[in-house]
Amino acid sequence: MAFKLTDYEAYDFANRRHIGPSPREMADMLKVIGFKTLDDLIDATVPEQIRQKAPLDWGPAMTERDALFHMKQVASKNKVLTSLIGQGYHGTTTPAPILRNILENPAWYTAYTPYQPEISQGRLEALLNFQTMVTDLTGLDIANASLLDEATAAAEAMAMAKRSGRSKANNAAFFVDQYCHPQTIEVIKTRAAPLGIDVTVGDPADLEAGAVFGAIFQYPGTYGHVRDFTDQIAALHEHKAIAVVAADILSLALLKSPGEMGADIAIGSTQRFGVPMGYGGPHAAYMATTDKLKRAMPGRIIGVSIDSRGNKAYRLALQTREQHIRREKANSNVCTAQALLAVIASMYGVYHGPDGIKAIAQSVHRKTSRLAKGLESLGFKVSPEVFFDTITIEVGALQGVVMAAAVNEGINLRKIGNDRVGISLDEQTRSETIEAVWRAFGGDMKDDSEANREYRLPEHALRESEYMTHPIFHKNRAEAEITRYMRRLADRDLALDRAMIPLGSCTMKLNATVEMIPVTWPEFGNLHPFVPADQAAGYLEMIDDLNDKLCQVTGYDAISQQPNSGAQGEYAGLLTIRGYHAARGESHRNVCLIPTSAHGTNPASAQMVGWKVVPVKADDKGNIDVADFRDKAEKHGDNLAACMITYPSTHGVFEETVTEVCALTHQYGGQVYIDGANMNAMVGLSRPGDIGGDVSHLNLHKTFCIPHGGGGPGMGPIGVKAHLEEYLPGHPEYGTAVGPVSAAPFGSPSILPVSWAYCLLMGGEGLTQATRVAILNANYIAESLKGSYDILYSSDAGRVAHECILDTRPLDESAGVSVDDVAKRLIDNGFHAPTMSWPVAGTLMVEPTESEPKDEIDRFIRAMLDIREEARAIEEGKIDPENNPLKNAPHTVADLVGDWDRPYSREQACYPKGAFKVDKYWSPVNRVDNAYGDRNLICSCPPMSDYEDE
């Protein structure tokens, strides 16, 4: 049959990019489901009463060339100056091998959170390196991998101190060093207010240790002071209070570590370890603590365990902190880490090693010393006397003149008060930069790096202990060596560049290459978050345009881009509702109704804003039990603050009672929070703001194509109705009355070009088609697997939304095959397992997304059908119930070539029907022993002999 151009007209606006199945394949899939057209399927799936009236329309979709040209024009409106503002953000150089082989490599940025450890061994090792580097530099016992930014890490440390401290002042105040970065102080205040924590900001010299349950100190301080907090920490410990140190990680190569001062917790940012400033993020924050506090630490921790053959294997440790288990009793609602950025920072440590890190720190300090000496020669008073990389200069009435002169030299300095200027140098600072700063202050000198090599570090705080002694930080000096190391780690993982990742509710869709290209443009990557607004005109134009499009998508009136994860978006949304109630004199409203099927971060977020969580039952079909909801709304009516619901439901169904639930909440004075996790089933078809939502967060790392990066970065902006707009999170840099939830004004803006490009490339019509095809793909899987697996929930019309739940519990009853067995057998087939045991224990929730072509979906279907037949062989007594392909999965190359005494063939073990024959993915380890890892908690790099044994 001759090729016809018309075959592709139906989705030409997608440019063969985001829509996986061709029109012909869609027609074939529709036949299987029993529909003639895609319109018919959508009409049968999405209730008429919630359908949006007008189509999405912001003009025609752009071609790749036009989109990149347009984005470059906007990006060029940003003025990229050399920013010496400091305040926790620094210029840094991403080593070229790391830039090309990790940041720009889909094998790293398209991976999912390592909940399936067997297929995550590469990034788990990289994150274990991160933890080891952090524990060494901070002098503490254990670190996580990682948190969102330094300010939120500080707030998490405050909450951790409140939980862990045994001070008699446990209900009193938390002390904050007045020399902490301003954004850190403000985020701490935001987090403290709903929890009833008083925040005392003051000079550490005036600390009353008996009056607080904990304290945080900045090291070095935001204005450059380097203080040894040993005495203050000892005083805190006398009163059983907790000491936190926010430490610049590069300075710790030269300065006494927080652990050596006696600190209980250390936090900070690893941004200056090779991660561009990006106008504020994303960057990986770190947290380290003592062994006795490890179970109170939020975030993810990588641990060392063994597999079923006794070989070393990595995994996520301390799993009991997961929000889905602890819900409102969770330590935190932290869900997204900054895994990709932590990997970059860890590779920066591996690349440079301890000697290189120390050399960079020494160079930065010597440059700062030369700068200070020159300014002093010009007659300016420079403080402090001793410093690491930051100085403060008294300029009096000349402040405006100096700042303007610096900008004319292409340099941003920090305005402090009305009479001082702050300067922070970094590894990118050149002699020309120092000379330009001197000119801004009226000097005309040449920088002589050889003649001026003095140090102005405090003698009492110099570091004497070793760090980064593990061989992993010493063996990758040559570029060939580290490039091969990164490649080996990537080859151990399974990411979207290899296969479909059909995770329910996680929306692992295409992160198109063209959308990723602008992220590493210097116009987006090299801006400090606190530059003057006129230098960020391109960023502000992009954010405004993206916000306008997201308002049209959601039906809301305003968007805040500040939350830098979905969990942060939940928290910010609930804070917005809380502020609204308080402004109306209804601060007593503190009850939040949450369905039992809700995401685990929902109740944790409600707890963090000081609310009481009241669970609402689900009915036999998995929908919200409206009668139970009505009873509880009425019972708590006077105190009802909000309800939190997910739409479509967590069970993958468009519930027709959603408008009734929203109306009941409003009837009793509450606000409706609609979790945006499942927006990929709504875009262009239904808007949360139209069906009764007052606020929603959007997972840009799901619906709008920002890659997951192995567990972060993410963005969770919130949309609100007009009556809530004035209560959105603000930022001190913009003089707003409402406090911030993240360190930077716009969260992690350097990844927003991905979502913006997605909207430009697809247009409103394309985004709507993406939603329609996501629903098609999910229904095709559900229909194809019916009879072999029960589809747990569907609408009255028998349809699912964009995901479906496969019930594998009957296999456990008939054949002893657990949901874990099915998940691990899918690894042999070359797939990441769907979401396991959530929202229903013992089931798999499958979401194929619109990106997956029919061939890949069919391969998954073959794999699931083959697994069912293997279970049937157990049921019929044809194979040993304990020694079979399902129980022994995943199978490795060592299994294939080693001695074989199993009652099934090597071919059946290693080449099941879903696996590729030539491009077979091999799990690097057998099934990981989680129980062993919990009993033997090791969270830093194992000895080098283990690597040599491999």
Side-chain angles (χ1 to χ4, degrees), residues 374-375 377-380 402 405 409 434-446:
L375 291 171
S377 73
L378 293 172
F380 291 96
V402 170
E409 294 283 352
I434 296 173
E435 293 166 3
V437 173
W438 285 333
R439 286 196 297 272
F441 281 83
D444 186 15
M445 297 105 68
K446 289 294 182 183

Side-chain angles (χ1 to χ4, degrees), residues 328 591-596 612-616 632-633 635-636:
E328 71 272 13
V591 171
C592 189
L593 302 183
I594 303 180
T596 55
K612 176 184 176 183
V613 174
V614 175
V616 177
K632 287 171 177 172
K635 178 181 177 181
H636 299 284

Side-chain angles (χ1 to χ4, degrees), residues 301-525:
I301 301 174
I302 312 306
V304 182
S305 185
I306 59 174
D307 69 6
S308 60
R309 290 189 179 271
N311 297 312
K312 180 180 90 289
Y314 306 114
R315 62 185 279 272
L316 288 176
L318 300 179
Q319 297 270 15
T320 54
R321 284 195 327 285
E322 286 302 316
Q323 291 82 11
H324 294 307
I325 298 171
R326 303 198 66 192
R327 296 176 66 81
E328 71 272 13
K329 294 183 175 63
N331 290 337
S332 166
N333 75 337
V334 170
C335 180
T336 306
Q338 299 286 26
L340 180 65
L341 298 314
V343 168
I344 292 171
S346 79
M347 287 299 175
Y348 183 93
V350 169
Y351 181 83
H352 288 293
D355 294 338
I357 298 293
K358 185 175 183 179
I360 292 169
Q362 289 172 326
S363 172
V364 169
H365 175 70
R366 285 200 301 267
K367 287 183 283 193
T368 311
S369 297
R370 299 200 305 270
L371 175 66
K373 187 174 181 179
L375 291 171
E376 288 168 340
S377 73
L378 293 172
F380 291 96
K381 181 178 180 182
V382 175
S383 64
E385 285 291 323
V386 292
F387 48 77
F388 169 58
D389 66 353
T390 299
I391 54 176
T392 303
I393 303 94
E394 294 185 13
V395 293
L398 293 175
Q399 186 191 61
V401 175
V402 170
M403 296 281 289
V407 169
N408 287 336
E409 294 283 352
I411 293 171
N412 289 314
L413 305 179
R414 180 181 177 187
K415 180 181 179 182
I416 302 174
N418 296 314
D419 58 358
R420 291 179 295 161
V421 169
I423 307 175
S424 296
L425 301 192
D426 54 58
E427 67 170 311
Q428 291 188 324
T429 302
R430 300 176 180 274
S431 289
E432 293 83 355
T433 310
I434 296 173
E435 293 166 3
V437 173
W438 285 333
R439 286 196 297 272
F441 281 83
D444 186 15
M445 297 105 68
K446 289 294 182 183
D447 177 42
D448 187 345
S449 60
E450 291 303 316
N452 298 292
R453 298 179 67 85
E454 67 179 15
Y455 286 81
R456 291 173 64 168
L457 291 165
E459 291 290 335
H460 63 278
L462 292 179
R463 182 168 195 143
E464 297 180 358
S465 58
E466 291 185 310
Y467 53 89
M468 296 170 66
T469 58
H470 192 277
I472 199 68
F473 299 111
H474 295 263
K475 70 185 294 273
N476 288 285
R477 293 286 75 78
E479 179 169 330
E481 201 169 23
I482 194 168
T483 299
R484 290 166 186 158
Y485 178 60
M486 291 184 287
R487 172 62 185 266
R488 286 198 302 272
L489 295 190
D491 284 348
R492 296 176 194 170
D493 284 8
L494 191 149
L496 270 177
D497 66 326
R498 283 184 184 267
M500 175 168 70
I501 302 180
L503 287 155
S505 200
C506 293
T507 316
M508 296 294 292
K509 63 199 294 181
L510 176 70
N511 314 121
T513 305
V514 65
E515 294 157 5
M516 298 298 297
I517 287 172
V519 170
T520 50
W521 286 348
E523 296 92 336
F524 285 132

Side-chain angles (χ1 to χ4, degrees), residues 563 567-577 673 695 716 718 727-729 741:
Q568 282 284 82
E570 290 178 20
Y571 177 67
L574 298 187
L575 275 183
T576 301
I577 294 172
Y673 182 96
V695 56
I718 54 174
Y727 309 107
L728 286 169
V741 297

